[in-house]
Amino acid sequence: MWDDCYEGKSLLTPASASKLCLSITDVVTNWLKSFPEEIIPSILIRLPIKSLIRFTSVCKSWRSTIKDPSFIRTHLAHTLNFNDQNATHLLLLHTVFSQGVSYPLGVRHIVGFKQDPYSLHYDNNDVSQCCKVEFPIGLKEEMINPCFRVVGTCDGLVLLADDLGLYAYNFVMWNPCVRKYVILPEPSVRFSTHGGYEASLGLGYDVIGNDYKVVRLTTLLEQQGMFDTCPTLAQVYSLAKGSWGRLRSDLPPCGMLPDLGQAFVNGALHWLAIRWEGDDVIFFVLAFDVGSESFREIMLPKTFKMEESLELRLSLSGDRKSIGLFVRFQDESDCFLDIWVMKEYCIDKSWTKLVILCPQGPQRSLPNALCFRRNGEVVLVLEDSCELVSLELVSKQFKALGISGGQVCSVDLYEESLVLLDKKDAISY
């Protein structure tokens, strides 16, 4: 019997384990009821989300407390502080398995879709799996394309976009911890209203208005003009209001390209954008302050001209205080991956190149960078095997994570939260 314990095997059947959890919940509930009502919130704030969800059924006062917006924010702050002190942060992995990926007209399409599991992993040495994430069946019925794309995460919310292929307007704010989601209404810019376009999305939190916002930037592909004359429009969705704001054109002159990453840090969303300088197309960072809803520009470490052999991707930095940049170049004469970080946020001169990576393995393939980890390492996906590895930047050593990246893979920071629990119009599953 003890050998089974040492091997990590459960001695309980699933039914027995469920009964045990219920028994423990009953004990804790009775224990909490023995305390004065005024100190219950300070105790509940320290409990995990699964327990809090159960406790919403104990009595009306507890339910009211747990669903109160101020309690939800305080619980999130406590969770973030606990995770910082105990290094228990999570990563959300979304992996698409298919026969392949094609790029007709430069748009990514999933070919021969098989499955796209979601899972939470600890951001520890081995990136060990925490749990699998159940995807809402109801959302699958809404999809136009084979699967959703994870745009980004913020405070336990996951922004999903149905844009892997055909034009579609299914955008979802999803919290898998509380098993709730909100389907956003259709935005104003659609193919039927404006013709072809390129779009970028972002999810952020407005700390002043206590509101989660989705920003959609669309560069209209006017048939009669050159790309450098195409206008870019912005529209902001407010979760608190449940609607999109007016279309805006007060952006710096720029064009948006899909699938170049987004980063929410210091109250602002960031995307890679392009602008025209003479005959050249130049990359820069477009930032949007979620609170004031104002735009600004951030310069890149050097001039990157748009060309077929060059791939850029924006990311949060490892310390989550600034932004990072992955620059991948591959042609017949040269091949490298540069990893940059802006060490002091918004200080252009603080851009620092951390490492230059050359082709790896007998096939001399160049990996794709996905994101920074909390410890400063970078998650990469190997081009030949599609396996995920973690790169230690000083030694340039790879560590296999034993995780397949499939044909399309995203890795995002994730923090468990109660966000959406108080939303009456959120759909439960």
Side-chain angles (χ1 to χ4, degrees):
M1 180 177 73
W2 297 112
D3 289 340
D4 286 344
C5 289
Y6 289 130
E7 290 175 7
K9 298 177 181 177
S10 174
L11 299 178
L12 297 173
T13 65
S16 300
S18 178
K19 289 181 180 179
L20 179 60
C21 289
L22 290 174
S23 298
I24 294 173
T25 300
D26 290 339
V27 171
V28 174
T29 300
N30 292 330
W31 174 69
L32 284 173
K33 286 182 175 179
S34 67
F35 287 94
E37 192 69 27
E38 60 270 17
I39 70 169
I40 293 298
S42 62
I43 297 175
L44 293 177
I45 211 73
R46 292 166 171 77
L47 297 181
I49 288 176
K50 287 185 178 180
S51 297
L52 292 174
I53 297 298
R54 292 192 188 102
F55 290 159
T56 58
S57 302
V58 171
C59 61
K60 289 184 178 180
S61 62
W62 288 19
R63 182 183 181 88
S64 176
T65 296
I66 295 170
K67 287 193 170 187
D68 184 85
S70 62
F71 179 89
I72 291 173
R73 290 304 305 173
T74 305
H75 184 270
L76 174 62
H78 183 271
T79 299
L80 294 174
N81 183 59
F82 178 88
N83 289 341
D84 284 338
Q85 293 180 357
N86 297 277
T88 51
H89 292 282
L90 296 171
L91 296 171
L92 175 68
L93 270 67
H94 175 223
T95 309
V96 180
F97 295 96
S98 66
Q99 294 178 2
V101 179
S102 65
Y103 291 86
L105 301 177
V107 179
R108 183 167 56 175
H109 285 252
I110 306 300
V111 179
F113 173 78
K114 297 177 181 177
Q115 60 176 331
D116 66 320
Y118 294 79
S119 58
L120 286 174
H121 295 250
Y122 294 107
D123 191 6
N124 56 18
N125 186 55
D126 300 321
V127 190
S128 54
Q129 182 170 299
C130 170
C131 63
K132 294 181 180 180
V133 177
E134 181 184 351
F135 190 76
I137 297 177
L139 282 180
K140 294 183 178 180
E141 300 172 353
E142 303 287 336
M143 294 187 304
I144 301 298
N145 293 290
C147 63
F148 281 96
R149 174 177 67 93
V150 174
V151 176
T153 61
C154 179
D155 294 347
L157 286 181
V158 183
L159 176 60
L160 303 174
D162 183 7
D163 60 4
L164 283 174
L166 302 175
Y167 286 119
Y169 311 102
N170 296 316
F171 305 113
V172 180
M173 299 173 78
W174 172 41
N175 186 340
C177 287
V178 299
R179 298 171 61 85
K180 285 179 173 287
Y181 61 89
V182 172
I183 299 177
L184 278 60
E186 286 191 351
S188 297
V189 176
R190 303 184 298 278
F191 184 81
S192 61
T193 59
H194 292 77
Y197 59 82
E198 297 282 12
S200 293
L201 291 157
L203 169 65
Y205 175 67
D206 174 6
V207 65
I208 298 175
N210 187 25
D211 190 12
Y212 291 92
K213 297 178 179 178
V214 174
V215 182
R216 187 172 185 250
L217 308 173
T218 49
T219 298
L220 306 182
L221 305 179
E222 297 180 338
Q223 296 180 0
Q224 302 300 321
M226 298 296 290
F227 191 64
D228 59 352
T229 65
C230 296
T232 296
L233 302 176
Q235 194 169 24
V236 180
Y237 171 85
S238 162
L239 180 63
K241 297 177 181 177
S243 62
W244 291 95
R246 62 179 176 84
L247 279 177
R248 299 171 47 176
S249 58
D250 57 335
L251 293 77
C254 66
M256 306 306 299
L257 297 173
D259 292 345
L260 301 184
Q262 61 99 52
F264 177 68
V265 61
N266 293 323
L269 280 162
H270 304 76
W271 304 267
L272 286 169
I274 54 175
R275 65 163 169 248
W276 295 262
E277 294 184 358
D279 295 330
D280 296 323
V281 181
I282 306 300
F283 284 95
F284 71 100
V285 176
L286 178 66
F288 176 81
D289 187 288
V290 178
S292 64
E293 297 196 356
S294 58
F295 289 95
R296 66 177 184 272
E297 298 181 34
I298 299 176
M299 301 306 296
L300 289 174
K302 65 177 187 178
T303 299
F304 293 106
K305 298 180 181 179
M306 184 172 145
E307 54 183 297
E308 187 176 349
S309 303
L310 183 67
E311 300 174 20
L312 270 63
R313 184 169 184 82
L314 200 66
S315 172
L316 278 175
S317 60
D319 61 8
R320 301 318 192 226
K321 296 179 180 179
S322 189
I323 54 177
L325 178 69
F326 306 130
V327 180
R328 188 175 187 266
F329 184 86
Q330 190 168 20
D331 67 6
E332 295 179 355
S333 62
D334 200 4
C335 189
F336 62 84
L337 173 64
D338 287 353
I339 298 176
W340 296 78
V341 69
M342 180 178 264
K343 291 197 170 182
E344 296 181 58
Y345 179 69
C346 264
I347 305 298
D348 296 343
K349 294 181 179 179
S350 72
W351 277 110
T352 303
K353 186 186 293 186
L354 302 178
V355 69
I356 303 175
L357 202 62
C358 297
Q360 305 292 312
Q363 298 183 358
R364 307 298 293 164
S365 61
L366 192 67
N368 278 294
L370 297 180
C371 71
F372 280 93
R373 298 179 56 195
R374 288 272 181 177
N375 61 7
E377 294 183 4
V378 175
V379 178
L380 308 171
V381 57
L382 301 180
E383 190 175 44
D384 48 357
S385 65
C386 297
E387 294 296 314
L388 298 188
V389 297
S390 188
L391 171 66
E392 205 285 315
L393 298 180
V394 176
S395 65
K396 294 187 180 181
Q397 294 297 308
F398 290 93
K399 178 171 58 185
L401 300 179
I403 303 170
S404 173
Q407 281 60 57
V408 178
C409 183
S410 66
V411 181
D412 293 271
L413 173 71
Y414 188 79
E415 305 289 356
E416 294 179 305
S417 80
L418 294 167
V419 177
L420 292 188
L421 188 64
D422 60 326
K423 291 294 177 182
K424 295 181 180 179
D425 57 342
I427 301 171
S428 301
Y429 64 96

